[in-house]
Every structure is written in structure tokens, then in C-alpha cells.
Amino acid sequence: MTSRLDYYAAAELSQIIERSAGLIGVGIDAKGALEIANRSRGTPRVANNLLRWVRDYAQVKGNGFIDQATADRALQMLDIDDDGLDEMDKRLLEALVSRFEGGPVGISSLAVAVGEDSGTIEEVNEPYLIQEGYLKRTPQGRVALPKAYQKLGVKLPAGRQSELF
């Protein structure tokens, strides 16, 4: 039997977060759950970890209830942006675009540039960045896609567009 796992949609993750919030005894509204879901990289494990962080934040800095504004502030403290990218994702994109001129670059060189193990990059960061259209793997190495340039606010080099597709 061949099975395939796919990322969860934000609406599905929101339901999981609301249920988990009830299990850990924290109040949350639908917009707060959706805010966490949108930044959870399509993964329930990540969603539940973020929920626990936001709960702790809400208990210390807020009134103990999670709404959209509370979730947003808590996730900003973790440096998780609206697209679910964390600090390491941004460092990878920055290195790929700035230091390696958009690629192609080998995984080992990219790993050294950001100070992370190549296995961690391949297993943790790359799948989401590829799925979301920020980079692609080629036989020559990793290549930044136009969405990576947009995310970093960097102009796509002339002539680069035709190389990417």
C-alpha cells in the first residue's frame, strides 16, 4: 500500500487548534486559532507547539485568552511571519539570494553559509520552502524562485526569470 501525507489546510488546522486549546484549558476564538493555523506550515505538530507558546504568552502578557491580536504578538516574538517562515527560513533565502546570487548552490555550501546542518535543512526547512514556491531543487543545486526575491524585497535580476522555469 502506498500512502502519501499532505499538508493540512488552515481551516483544518484551525479546528485542531480549537480542540487542543480546549484540552489544555485555554480560551481561544476562531480568529486567534486561524492566526496560529496560518503560521503552522500545514502541520498539526507545529500548530500545537505554537498554540502552547501563544497560551504561555497570553497568560503572562495578556488576560489568558487567545484572540487574533494576542496570537499575532506572540508569534512575532518567535519571529514567525504571516507566511509561516521562521528565522532560519529567512536566513536560507537571504543566503541563497544575496550570497549565492540566487543559485544554483549546493546544500553543503548553503548549510555552511547559514550555520545549520545540511540534513536539518533538507528535512525541516526545504520541504516547506519548495511547497510554497520560494526555492527549487535542481541537479546543479538549490535555486531561488521569484517569490523568494519578493519576500526579501530584492529585485529579480534581469535575465534570471527565463532561467528559473
Side-chain angles (χ1 to χ4, degrees):
M1 181 168 112
T2 303
S3 297
R4 184 178 170 295
L5 296 177
D6 206 358
Y7 291 108
Y8 284 68
E12 295 168 320
L13 283 173
S14 186
Q15 291 175 342
I16 291 168
I17 291 166
E18 288 180 22
R19 180 182 179 280
S20 295
L23 293 174
I24 64 172
V26 65
I28 190 167
D29 66 15
K31 288 183 178 180
L34 190 58
E35 186 71 27
I36 296 169
N38 286 331
R39 299 184 190 196
S40 296
R41 304 172 77 100
T43 308
R45 177 185 46 80
V46 173
N48 284 325
N49 287 339
L50 293 179
L51 171 63
R52 283 190 288 279
W53 168 262
V54 173
R55 175 209 51 200
D56 293 348
Y57 177 90
Q59 289 174 343
V60 172
K61 301 267 187 180
N63 60 8
F65 184 80
I66 300 171
D67 58 11
Q68 184 177 10
T70 303
D72 179 56
R73 285 191 304 272
L75 296 171
Q76 283 179 8
M77 280 186 72
L78 288 177
D79 200 22
I80 298 174
D81 69 14
D82 294 337
D83 298 320
L85 301 184
D86 62 18
E87 178 197 357
M88 182 54 68
D89 296 322
K90 294 173 205 162
R91 286 174 56 194
L92 284 166
L93 294 178
E94 179 73 31
L96 186 57
V97 168
S98 298
R99 293 186 199 154
F100 298 106
E101 300 174 349
V105 62
I107 188 67
S108 297
S109 296
L110 194 55
V112 169
V114 298
E116 184 63 82
D117 179 65
S118 61
T120 301
I121 292 171
E122 286 181 309
E123 295 171 17
V124 176
N125 303 96
E126 266 191 350
Y128 186 71
L129 294 173
I130 291 170
Q131 172 102 11
E132 294 298 309
Y134 291 101
L135 66 89
K136 72 175 181 175
R137 269 187 222 159
T138 69
Q140 295 81 27
R142 277 63 181 170
V143 176
L145 295 176
K147 193 171 179 180
Y149 287 88
Q150 286 177 325
K151 183 71 177 175
L152 298 172
V154 176
K155 188 174 187 236
L156 188 66
R160 186 87 173 129
Q161 183 70 32
S162 61
E163 293 176 33
L164 298 177
F165 299 102

